[in-house]
Amino acid sequence: MNATDAAFAAVTSAPEASAPALDDTQSRRDDRHLAIQRVGIRALRHPVRVGSVGGEAQSTVATFSMYVGLSEDVKGAHMSRFAQLLEEGLDLLTPASFLELAARMQTRLEAQSSYLEMRFPYFRRKRAPVSGAESLLDADVAFIVDAPLHAAPKFVLEVVAPVTSLCPCSKKISAYGAHNQRSHITMRAQASTDLSIDALIEIAEREASSELYGVLKRVDEKFVTERAYDNPKFVEDLVRDIAIACAAHPHIGEFVVASENFESIHNHSAYAELRGQGKLLSSKSD
Amino acid sequence: MNATDAAFAAVTSAPEASAPALDDTQSRRDDRHLAIQRVGIRALRHPVRVGSVGGEAQSTVATFSMYVGLSEDVKGAHMSRFAQLLEEGLDLLTPASFLELAARMQTRLEAQSSYLEMRFPYFRRKRAPVSGAESLLDADVAFIVDAPLHAAPKFVLEVVAPVTSLCPCSKKISAYGAHNQRSHITMRAQASTDLSIDALIEIAEREASSELYGVLKRVDEKFVTERAYDNPKFVEDLVRDIAIACAAHPHIGEFVVASENFESIHNHSAYAELRGQGKLLSSKSD
Amino acid sequence: MNATDAAFAAVTSAPEASAPALDDTQSRRDDRHLAIQRVGIRALRHPVRVGSVGGEAQSTVATFSMYVGLSEDVKGAHMSRFAQLLEEGLDLLTPASFLELAARMQTRLEAQSSYLEMRFPYFRRKRAPVSGAESLLDADVAFIVDAPLHAAPKFVLEVVAPVTSLCPCSKKISAYGAHNQRSHITMRAQASTDLSIDALIEIAEREASSELYGVLKRVDEKFVTERAYDNPKFVEDLVRDIAIACAAHPHIGEFVVASENFESIHNHSAYAELRGQGKLLSSKSD
Amino acid sequence: MNATDAAFAAVTSAPEASAPALDDTQSRRDDRHLAIQRVGIRALRHPVRVGSVGGEAQSTVATFSMYVGLSEDVKGAHMSRFAQLLEEGLDLLTPASFLELAARMQTRLEAQSSYLEMRFPYFRRKRAPVSGAESLLDADVAFIVDAPLHAAPKFVLEVVAPVTSLCPCSKKISAYGAHNQRSHITMRAQASTDLSIDALIEIAEREASSELYGVLKRVDEKFVTERAYDNPKFVEDLVRDIAIACAAHPHIGEFVVASENFESIHNHSAYAELRGQGKLLSSKSD
């Protein structure tokens, strides 16, 4: 039993006294004999405090998707219970406590499977590479718990890290200069609760042509310009180099790495996507 | 061999003389030994003419995603060939000719697998239910060909059909009235090339509380208001009733039906998603 | 001199020691003789704490647009100073302290005019109308300070409040039922720093067919359904009724009220927009 | 009387027999005594054919906003007439015929003022700078007719042209390379019906560090990379240089030029906006 399973076991074994329903349509039997994989609510915004191993807790605003599976003989889900769950007081949401929230949701909805997703902007304090000037840089992050029928719940960490990519071909064939642009690196990884958000984003930043910063002074701008020029990467290089780092990571299981480069010479994007497997095994006991 | 396979076979067997590349970085060997599942371009807009069985051909604007798989020993894809393919003259894009385009793309990129997606607004001429007043109604549609390594290419038709949903609970417990709202029904189905876009959208419209129209006169507004009130549906009902119709359909294989109801009493959506299997078998010979 | 002017005066009179610039292109003269009304940065996300009179301070995430005017003889703005301003530590941002931030920005950029905008999701705790169940409801809010050349800076408060609208025509002509839908009421008002965010949103909610809630129990759903049916409003009624309330408000100056109704019977929106003037005069001294 | 006025005069003088309304709520008097500046529909998608002087007619998909002013004694607008207008058969929409459509809308709605807007993706065939390879490039374009109360209707042409910008500072301070990125140039100009869409977009392209293309071969990529490096522009330079071209243009009246640079070294945009006046006078007679 790993941490994920334990969190679910602790919570889902708790009995819950269900209030007697007056004309409770949703609990009635359904005779169409079709199970529904996901029923619930989405696009619900709620303020949260989030954190992960080694990172500072921070206040942000999350958008939730909250679903449960419905067996074929049940008419419907108790929709108001989803939003209510968020109103009961959310502690700091770390990967571990988010797993507990998912388990609580499944219990409360009297379901055998569930899917909980929370997307939020996440801020890291960075130092400009030469001047040391501090600034925040945002990334889009998601915590996901997928708890399918008859299988252990999986925690998935997703980050969309903005970086710079500089084209090796453009550099090579041009007498001077090279086109470069902002790229979005999406990393979606089955993760242990010990994987930190910052660590995942830093993999993307390390393998990019250059990282981004909120504030850069003149000396820093020189540094990142030259750093990108010294470090050209095709979209294929980006996903391969990041995949190598993910594949060697002890806290990452199955993963997908994608890069979308908003080409500065076209009005469309270059894109690559690579699926792999890290050192975290699904069956790993903690 | 079904129609899908045939289209691919016809095109991918065509030999292609490759121009000698001057310093062709992309064709060089890569020593990281990592295959990439998808490389290509995305967010490319192009005008197209689309059509399907029984529907009228129409001009619209599509957004393309064009990817191929890259084997582990190849450094990169020839990115400019993707956009070039669209410039060579697109005939009317039906499911059948779209399969051919996908096959041509795979051949041109010298790849063993590929994914081609084209999203576009699609317009149907409708008659208001009582007055007969005609108007267009738009839906978002996608043609997708997924041609994985060592497997037959699949054609997938996706539609996002806007409809009205009226809440059965609200109707039942209220002395008068019932909250209702616009809903988006997403249907994503592995399909034979004989499935028409209109037919798929009409399944969603038929099972909704009411359909939408571009123009409604007074008599029509009365009709759709009463029709919705007479025909309340939970989000669970919507996906189950649509799934029953899909499961019985001869031109639909694996499918997913989802409904997002933009609740008029909340600032979030109700959502349900159901996966099923129609009568079209993957292994079916035509 | 009103509060707005005072905040600017207090800050913009502060002298600032400018660091000697090494090769400072931006301070050089420009010979095209064209002033630029707005130069700066946009789409910058930053965590903030916001509040207003009578409302609770809350943590949220804001998206900033920060511009200054550039006179015709100056080559460029010091772009890095904008983001730096946010890094220096933001206190609680109320309308009053936001005016000070705008003034500080103008001073720091050595400009004669400026525009500062901050958009953020804002959450209010509401009680369901019958059960009293508590939940949060989000709205989109913006603080704006427009400080044009040779004119007093204006504080503008903008809210986008989600509500329910129920169609009077549909109710009247139908034997039963009435189409209704979610609507977005946008109110953009020149405001004194005493106008509270909650007060502005509540005007929209009061004049709508019904308000929205995050959590509704069965008894509440009955209440809001009947309330909306008892209180039908055309999009024209919504903006007129809200405008009447704004026109009588002591803390509101020039305003625009708009309503977009996401019609449940069409795939387009009904829309109305009305401009008016409240009791707050531009020249009013505090 | 210029072309704009003539188009309106020709159409708005046409008498229209109004059908007797059965219980026509919208024509009833309103006793709140508040005029509404804009009432109508928005977010309505419709296929169209568009063109302008010197450009090829093309099929695309437009999103319409259609509003009229409502005097203080009228209860409401006849909403269904807006969508109906589009169903009656749209000829090729050029600036001139779009002015006629706007006039027809105002007449049909029995209004004294109106606003008609149509946004659409627009495609131009371009030749790569060295190889001559042809491809389409998209831009977002809008036709707008603003016909306020007691004033001549104005035709406004808006384009959002994607280009490359390369940072002069980065180039100057770095030993090699320079950060560059995609930028969106928005030009919104009061225009005579003789202003072509292509001409307006080409101004933006000419003044940018480089233009974009759908397809570039290796020799072209070298060309645009070096061209951008040879031609660095700050966001301030972009709007000033484009404004100079607009100010000298005989078919442009009041205009706004804005540039948003999606910085490749930051996760936010640099932005500048400049208002000016071309050689087309509002009072000009044709």
Side-chain angles (χ1 to χ4, degrees):
Chain A
M1 177 180 279
N2 64 23
T4 301
D5 296 342
F8 260 72
V11 177
T12 58
S13 61
E16 180 182 306
S18 194
L22 301 170
D23 187 17
D24 185 345
T25 314
Q26 296 307 71
S27 299
R28 285 201 316 229
R29 295 186 60 81
D30 194 88
D31 50 10
R32 276 162 297 198
H33 303 297
L34 278 171
I36 302 181
Q37 282 73 32
R38 292 183 177 177
V39 186
I41 63 176
R42 75 187 302 177
L44 187 146
R45 293 195 294 187
H46 208 277
V48 291
R49 275 180 67 74
V50 298
S52 63
V53 172
E56 220 176 323
Q58 60 183 258
S59 296
T60 184
V61 172
T63 301
F64 284 85
S65 298
M66 312 175 78
Y67 312 133
V68 292
L70 208 64
S71 58
E72 62 171 58
D73 59 342
V74 178
K75 186 154 178 55
H78 292 276
M79 290 291 190
S80 65
R81 293 185 188 175
F82 290 104
Q84 240 173 318
L85 202 70
L86 300 184
E87 302 303 336
E88 285 165 11
L90 294 175
D91 295 327
L92 175 66
L93 288 169
T94 60
S97 65
F98 190 73
L99 271 159
E100 286 168 20
L101 179 65
R104 215 148 59 225
M105 177 181 81
Q106 186 172 311
T107 303
R108 190 72 57 84
L109 272 290
E110 299 159 25
Q112 306 300 315
S113 64
S114 60
Y115 178 93
L116 179 63
E117 181 187 290
M118 168 176 91
R119 299 191 165 272
F120 51 94
Y122 179 82
F123 297 87
R124 285 178 313 132
R125 181 152 296 283
K126 299 187 66 171
R127 284 179 173 280
V130 181
S131 73
E134 290 194 18
S135 62
L136 292 181
L137 188 72
D138 55 321
D140 287 307
V141 175
F143 284 179
I144 298 164
V145 174
D146 193 359
L149 214 52
H150 312 308
K154 282 192 307 187
F155 175 71
V156 173
L157 181 61
E158 183 181 314
V159 302
V160 182
V163 301
T164 304
S165 62
L166 186 139
C167 178
C169 173
S170 169
K171 174 180 173 179
K172 184 167 195 174
I173 63 183
S174 305
Y176 38 80
H179 77 81
N180 52 76
Q181 53 268 319
R182 211 186 291 162
S183 299
H184 281 177
I185 308 288
T186 301
M187 306 170 73
R188 187 179 168 102
Q190 184 189 353
S192 86
T193 55
D194 290 332
L195 181 62
S196 88
I197 300 173
D198 294 61
L200 199 57
I201 295 174
E202 282 159 14
I203 292 174
E205 291 187 330
R206 207 154 42 224
E207 304 299 340
S209 295
S210 176
E211 347 182 4
L212 306 188
Y213 299 87
V215 171
L216 290 173
K217 303 210 180 253
R218 211 164 287 263
V219 286
D220 304 311
E221 190 169 350
K222 174 178 164 63
F223 180 91
V224 298
T225 301
E226 295 173 357
R227 152 98 181 137
Y229 193 82
D230 285 336
N231 196 27
K233 297 260 183 147
F234 285 113
V235 72
E236 294 94 335
D237 295 324
L238 283 169
V239 296
R240 274 176 168 145
D241 292 344
I242 293 169
I244 286 172
C246 289
H249 203 292
H251 298 320
I252 292 178
E254 288 186 331
F255 66 85
V256 188
V257 175
S259 180
E260 177 165 9
N261 298 5
F262 304 99
E263 300 290 287
S264 66
I265 60 171
H266 296 303
N267 201 26
H268 58 258
S269 301
Y271 181 79
E273 185 182 308
L274 194 161
R275 294 165 186 278
Q277 170 72 47
K279 297 297 180 205
L280 177 74
L281 300 183
S282 298
S283 55
K284 172 174 172 281
S285 328
D286 278 11
Chain B
M1 178 180 278
N2 63 23
T4 301
D5 295 342
F8 261 71
V11 177
T12 57
S13 60
E16 179 179 308
S18 197
L22 302 170
D23 187 19
D24 186 347
T25 313
Q26 298 305 75
S27 299
R28 286 201 316 233
R29 294 187 60 82
D30 195 87
D31 52 9
R32 277 162 296 197
H33 303 297
L34 277 172
I36 302 181
Q37 283 72 33
R38 293 182 177 178
V39 186
I41 63 175
R42 74 187 303 177
L44 186 145
R45 292 195 294 185
H46 209 277
V48 291
R49 275 180 67 74
V50 298
S52 64
V53 172
E56 221 176 322
Q58 59 184 258
S59 296
T60 185
V61 172
T63 302
F64 284 85
S65 298
M66 312 175 78
Y67 311 133
V68 292
L70 208 64
S71 58
E72 63 171 58
D73 59 342
V74 178
K75 185 149 179 59
H78 292 276
M79 290 292 189
S80 66
R81 295 185 188 175
F82 290 105
Q84 240 173 316
L85 202 69
L86 300 184
E87 301 303 336
E88 286 165 10
L90 293 175
D91 296 326
L92 175 67
L93 288 170
T94 60
S97 65
F98 190 73
L99 271 159
E100 285 169 19
L101 180 65
R104 214 148 58 224
M105 176 180 82
Q106 186 172 311
T107 302
R108 191 71 57 84
L109 272 291
E110 298 159 25
Q112 306 300 316
S113 64
S114 60
Y115 178 94
L116 178 63
E117 180 188 292
M118 167 176 92
R119 300 191 164 271
F120 52 94
Y122 178 82
F123 297 87
R124 285 178 313 131
R125 181 153 295 284
K126 299 186 65 170
R127 284 179 172 281
V130 180
S131 72
E134 290 193 17
S135 63
L136 292 181
L137 187 72
D138 56 320
D140 288 308
V141 175
F143 284 178
I144 297 164
V145 174
D146 193 359
L149 214 53
H150 312 310
K154 280 191 310 185
F155 175 70
V156 173
L157 180 61
E158 184 182 313
V159 301
V160 181
V163 301
T164 304
S165 63
L166 186 139
C167 178
C169 172
S170 170
K171 173 180 174 178
K172 184 166 193 174
I173 62 182
S174 304
Y176 39 80
H179 77 79
N180 52 76
Q181 54 267 319
R182 211 186 292 163
S183 298
H184 281 177
I185 308 287
T186 301
M187 304 169 75
R188 187 180 167 100
Q190 184 189 353
S192 84
T193 55
D194 291 331
L195 182 62
S196 88
I197 301 173
D198 293 63
L200 198 57
I201 295 174
E202 283 160 14
I203 292 175
E205 291 188 329
R206 207 154 42 224
E207 303 299 339
S209 294
S210 176
E211 345 181 6
L212 306 188
Y213 298 88
V215 171
L216 290 174
K217 303 208 179 254
R218 210 164 287 264
V219 286
D220 304 311
E221 188 169 351
K222 173 179 166 60
F223 181 91
V224 298
T225 301
E226 295 174 356
R227 152 98 180 139
Y229 193 81
D230 285 336
N231 195 28
K233 297 259 183 146
F234 285 113
V235 72
E236 295 94 336
D237 295 325
L238 284 169
V239 297
R240 275 176 168 147
D241 292 344
I242 292 169
I244 287 172
C246 289
H249 203 292
H251 298 319
I252 293 177
E254 287 187 334
F255 66 85
V256 187
V257 175
S259 179
E260 177 165 9
N261 299 2
F262 304 98
E263 300 290 287
S264 65
I265 61 172
H266 296 303
N267 201 25
H268 58 259
S269 301
Y271 181 79
E273 184 182 309
L274 196 161
R275 296 165 185 278
Q277 170 71 46
K279 297 296 180 204
L280 177 75
L281 300 184
S282 299
S283 55
K284 174 174 169 283
S285 329
D286 277 11
Chain C
M1 179 180 278
N2 63 23
T4 300
D5 296 341
F8 261 72
V11 177
T12 57
S13 60
E16 179 180 308
S18 195
L22 301 169
D23 187 18
D24 185 345
T25 313
Q26 298 305 75
S27 299
R28 286 201 315 231
R29 294 187 59 82
D30 194 88
D31 51 10
R32 277 162 297 197
H33 303 297
L34 278 171
I36 302 181
Q37 283 73 32
R38 293 182 177 177
V39 186
I41 63 175
R42 73 187 303 176
L44 186 145
R45 293 195 294 185
H46 208 276
V48 291
R49 275 180 67 73
V50 297
S52 63
V53 171
E56 220 176 322
Q58 60 184 258
S59 296
T60 184
V61 172
T63 302
F64 284 84
S65 298
M66 313 175 79
Y67 312 132
V68 292
L70 207 64
S71 58
E72 62 171 56
D73 59 342
V74 178
K75 184 148 180 61
H78 293 275
M79 290 293 190
S80 65
R81 294 185 188 174
F82 290 104
Q84 239 173 317
L85 202 70
L86 300 184
E87 302 303 336
E88 286 165 9
L90 293 175
D91 295 326
L92 175 66
L93 288 170
T94 60
S97 65
F98 190 74
L99 270 158
E100 286 169 18
L101 179 65
R104 215 149 58 225
M105 177 180 81
Q106 186 173 312
T107 303
R108 191 72 57 84
L109 273 290
E110 300 158 26
Q112 306 300 316
S113 65
S114 60
Y115 178 93
L116 178 63
E117 181 187 291
M118 167 176 91
R119 300 191 164 271
F120 51 94
Y122 178 81
F123 297 87
R124 285 177 313 131
R125 181 152 296 283
K126 300 186 65 170
R127 285 180 172 279
V130 181
S131 72
E134 290 193 17
S135 62
L136 292 182
L137 188 71
D138 56 320
D140 287 308
V141 175
F143 284 178
I144 297 165
V145 174
D146 193 0
L149 214 52
H150 312 309
K154 281 192 307 186
F155 175 70
V156 173
L157 181 60
E158 183 181 313
V159 301
V160 181
V163 302
T164 305
S165 62
L166 185 139
C167 178
C169 172
S170 169
K171 173 180 173 179
K172 185 166 193 175
I173 63 181
S174 305
Y176 38 81
H179 78 80
N180 52 76
Q181 54 268 318
R182 210 185 291 163
S183 299
H184 280 176
I185 308 287
T186 301
M187 305 169 74
R188 186 179 169 102
Q190 183 189 354
S192 85
T193 54
D194 291 331
L195 181 62
S196 88
I197 300 172
D198 294 62
L200 198 57
I201 294 173
E202 282 160 14
I203 292 175
E205 291 188 328
R206 207 155 41 224
E207 303 300 340
S209 294
S210 176
E211 345 182 4
L212 305 188
Y213 298 88
V215 171
L216 290 174
K217 303 207 179 255
R218 211 164 287 263
V219 286
D220 303 311
E221 188 170 350
K222 173 179 164 62
F223 180 91
V224 298
T225 301
E226 295 174 356
R227 153 97 181 139
Y229 193 81
D230 286 336
N231 196 27
K233 297 260 182 145
F234 285 113
V235 72
E236 295 93 336
D237 295 324
L238 284 169
V239 296
R240 275 177 167 146
D241 292 344
I242 292 169
I244 287 172
C246 289
H249 203 293
H251 298 319
I252 292 177
E254 287 187 333
F255 65 85
V256 187
V257 175
S259 180
E260 177 166 9
N261 297 5
F262 304 98
E263 301 289 288
S264 65
I265 61 172
H266 296 303
N267 201 27
H268 59 258
S269 300
Y271 181 79
E273 185 182 308
L274 195 160
R275 295 166 185 279
Q277 170 71 47
K279 297 296 180 205
L280 177 74
L281 300 183
S282 299
S283 55
K284 173 174 170 280
S285 328
D286 278 12
Chain D
M1 177 181 279
N2 64 22
T4 302
D5 295 342
F8 260 72
V11 178
T12 58
S13 60
E16 180 181 308
S18 195
L22 302 170
D23 189 18
D24 185 347
T25 314
Q26 297 305 72
S27 298
R28 285 200 319 228
R29 294 187 60 80
D30 194 88
D31 51 9
R32 276 162 296 197
H33 304 298
L34 278 172
I36 302 180
Q37 283 72 32
R38 293 182 177 177
V39 185
I41 63 175
R42 73 187 301 176
L44 187 145
R45 293 196 293 187
H46 208 278
V48 290
R49 275 179 68 72
V50 298
S52 64
V53 172
E56 219 177 324
Q58 60 183 259
S59 296
T60 183
V61 172
T63 302
F64 284 85
S65 298
M66 312 176 78
Y67 312 133
V68 292
L70 208 63
S71 59
E72 63 171 58
D73 59 342
V74 178
K75 187 150 179 55
H78 292 276
M79 291 291 191
S80 65
R81 294 185 189 175
F82 290 104
Q84 240 173 317
L85 202 69
L86 300 184
E87 302 303 336
E88 286 165 9
L90 294 175
D91 296 325
L92 174 66
L93 288 169
T94 60
S97 65
F98 190 72
L99 270 159
E100 285 169 20
L101 179 65
R104 214 148 58 224
M105 176 180 82
Q106 186 172 311
T107 302
R108 190 73 57 84
L109 271 291
E110 299 160 26
Q112 305 301 314
S113 64
S114 60
Y115 179 94
L116 178 64
E117 180 188 292
M118 167 176 92
R119 299 191 165 273
F120 51 93
Y122 178 82
F123 297 87
R124 285 178 312 131
R125 181 153 296 283
K126 300 186 66 172
R127 284 179 173 282
V130 181
S131 72
E134 290 194 17
S135 62
L136 292 181
L137 188 72
D138 56 320
D140 287 308
V141 175
F143 284 179
I144 298 165
V145 174
D146 193 0
L149 214 51
H150 312 310
K154 282 192 308 186
F155 175 70
V156 173
L157 181 61
E158 184 182 314
V159 301
V160 182
V163 301
T164 304
S165 62
L166 185 138
C167 179
C169 173
S170 170
K171 173 180 173 178
K172 184 165 195 174
I173 63 182
S174 304
Y176 39 80
H179 77 81
N180 52 76
Q181 53 267 320
R182 210 186 292 162
S183 298
H184 281 177
I185 308 288
T186 301
M187 305 170 73
R188 187 180 168 101
Q190 184 189 352
S192 85
T193 55
D194 291 331
L195 181 62
S196 88
I197 300 172
D198 294 62
L200 199 56
I201 295 173
E202 282 159 15
I203 292 175
E205 291 188 330
R206 206 154 41 223
E207 303 299 339
S209 294
S210 176
E211 344 181 7
L212 306 187
Y213 298 87
V215 171
L216 291 174
K217 304 209 180 253
R218 211 165 288 263
V219 285
D220 304 311
E221 188 169 352
K222 173 179 166 62
F223 181 91
V224 297
T225 301
E226 295 173 358
R227 152 99 181 138
Y229 193 81
D230 285 336
N231 196 26
K233 297 258 184 149
F234 285 113
V235 72
E236 295 93 336
D237 295 325
L238 284 168
V239 297
R240 275 177 168 146
D241 292 344
I242 293 169
I244 286 172
C246 289
H249 203 292
H251 298 319
I252 292 178
E254 288 187 332
F255 67 84
V256 187
V257 176
S259 179
E260 177 165 9
N261 298 5
F262 304 99
E263 300 289 287
S264 65
I265 62 171
H266 296 303
N267 201 25
H268 58 259
S269 301
Y271 180 79
E273 184 181 308
L274 194 161
R275 295 165 185 278
Q277 169 73 46
K279 297 296 181 205
L280 177 75
L281 300 183
S282 298
S283 56
K284 172 173 170 281
S285 329
D286 278 11

